[in-house]
Amino acid sequence: MIGRQLRFILFSRRTTSAMKSMEDLRCDGRSRRDYRPMELETDLVSNASGSARLRLANTDILVGIKTEIDKPNFSTPNQGKIEFFVDCSANATPEFEGRGGEELALELADTLTNAYESQKAFDLKTLCILPGQQCWKLFVDILILECGGNLFDAVSLAAKAALFNTKIPRVTAALMDAGEADLIISDDPYDCTRIEIANLPILVTVCKIGDSCVVDPSAEEEECSIASVVVGVSKRNNKNRNYNRSAGIVLVLCCFKCKGFNHKAADCKEKEVCTKCLGALTA
């Protein structure tokens, strides 16, 4: 019982400290709307079609993109494909050891897929080579090297930078007499096309701590947050757009009781876990 009371006292003090800092400044001196220092590099992986590395304070993300010729889906014969894969390195945080990062990796990949599925955000028609015959498929591989909070924003920014850096070889296509496609792919590294990224979405996470809301939460602030929302934002015709799931808003609920996703603590049936080690709290 004493151990549980001690955990509760430590968590309460941490939460109280974070709430007090929201009155004016956060614990690291930022205002509620400020992001932490960010470093962005591109063209790092030589054997990838595009790559980028983003460092957002202690959060470190590496993205590599591979291009491959594929056949369009039957339902969308004039569109290409894009697929996201997220891998949480076991060295990023102790929580990712074993299979601890699998749920978060799937959540990140699904969120990016939902944000990019709108044609207003990313027009997959630009990846089509021959309608119903051939198209480009983009494999976006994301590796989380270090976790220091605000993974959704960092991952979306790194993915967008990698897509900006992506070079797609120029293809000359023709239909043969038998109806099959004959493709000639240029081997000149400078004879390529680029992806238009102006309207590609980025994710913005807002966490609620006490009565205040903050952007770019640190790992400590995420532990104190009672609710969070992730919004996909893009720019079209020089106007900022927030769009709902059918046209782009992505909501992510994180339960502060079990640290699971897509449900509230009031509906949680799991046992309460320690906010530090994620182990079950015992009396």
Side-chain angles (χ1 to χ4, degrees), residues 9 80 91 104 111 131 134 137 167 180 200 227 236 242 267:
I9 291 172
N91 296 325
L104 178 59
T111 303
Q134 304 286 345
K137 183 175 183 179
K167 300 175 183 178
E180 297 182 355
L200 294 186
R236 188 175 178 88
N242 300 333
D267 302 325

Side-chain angles (χ1 to χ4, degrees), residues 136-263:
W136 285 108
K137 183 175 183 179
L138 305 181
F139 295 91
V140 184
D141 294 320
I142 302 169
L143 176 61
I144 300 176
L145 299 172
E146 188 174 358
C147 179
N150 199 18
L151 285 178
F152 285 89
D153 295 27
V155 163
S156 70
L157 287 168
K160 185 170 183 176
L163 288 168
F164 168 79
N165 181 244
T166 298
K167 300 175 183 178
I168 301 178
R170 194 174 301 276
V171 177
T172 303
L175 285 176
M176 306 299 289
D177 294 339
E180 297 182 355
D182 182 25
L183 303 180
I184 302 176
I185 303 176
S186 174
D187 56 2
D188 185 352
Y190 297 100
D191 187 18
C192 59
T193 60
R194 298 279 190 165
I195 297 175
E196 177 57 50
I197 70 161
N199 298 327
L200 294 186
I202 60 173
L203 303 178
V204 179
T205 303
V206 180
C207 284
K208 184 177 182 181
I209 303 177
D211 295 328
S212 301
C213 294
V214 301
V215 298
D216 186 26
S218 64
E220 182 183 31
E221 289 171 337
E222 287 181 339
E223 289 185 1
C224 300
S225 173
I226 59 175
S228 62
V229 59
V230 179
V231 183
V233 182
S234 72
K235 195 172 185 179
R236 188 175 178 88
N237 297 330
N238 294 323
K239 295 181 180 180
N240 291 327
R241 288 177 176 262
N242 300 333
Y243 40 107
N244 57 29
R245 183 171 181 139
S246 56
I249 263 187
V250 184
L251 299 179
V252 179
L253 294 175
C254 179
C255 173
F256 65 86
K257 179 180 177 183
C258 72
K259 294 300 178 182
F261 293 95
N262 295 326
H263 68 274

Side-chain angles (χ1 to χ4, degrees), residues 21-128:
S21 66
M22 295 302 104
E23 297 176 0
D24 186 16
L25 295 175
R26 292 151 79 171
C27 296
D28 54 9
R30 292 181 292 152
S31 71
R32 284 175 280 182
R33 298 183 180 182
D34 287 341
Y35 272 70
R36 293 166 292 176
M38 185 185 306
E39 297 180 16
L40 182 61
E41 300 176 82
T42 59
D43 203 16
L44 299 173
V45 183
S46 59
N47 59 348
S49 300
S51 60
R53 184 173 184 176
L54 177 77
R55 297 179 182 89
L56 180 61
N58 294 331
T59 297
D60 196 354
I61 309 294
L62 178 64
V63 180
I65 296 180
K66 176 185 176 183
T67 57
E68 185 178 284
I69 292 181
D70 198 1
K71 187 174 182 180
N73 292 327
F74 180 78
S75 57
T76 54
N78 62 340
Q79 294 183 11
K81 302 176 182 179
I82 185 170
E83 184 176 303
F84 294 93
F85 175 78
V86 181
D87 183 22
C88 298
S89 171
N91 296 325
T93 175
E95 299 174 11
F96 291 168
E97 292 181 358
R99 303 179 63 180
E102 288 188 0
E103 182 180 357
L104 178 59
L106 290 174
E107 187 72 28
L108 286 165
D110 289 344
T111 303
L112 287 172
T113 300
N114 290 335
Y116 275 75
E117 68 181 3
S118 172
Q119 291 187 3
K120 296 180 180 179
F122 185 34
D123 189 4
L124 291 174
K125 293 180 181 179
T126 59
L127 299 178
C128 182

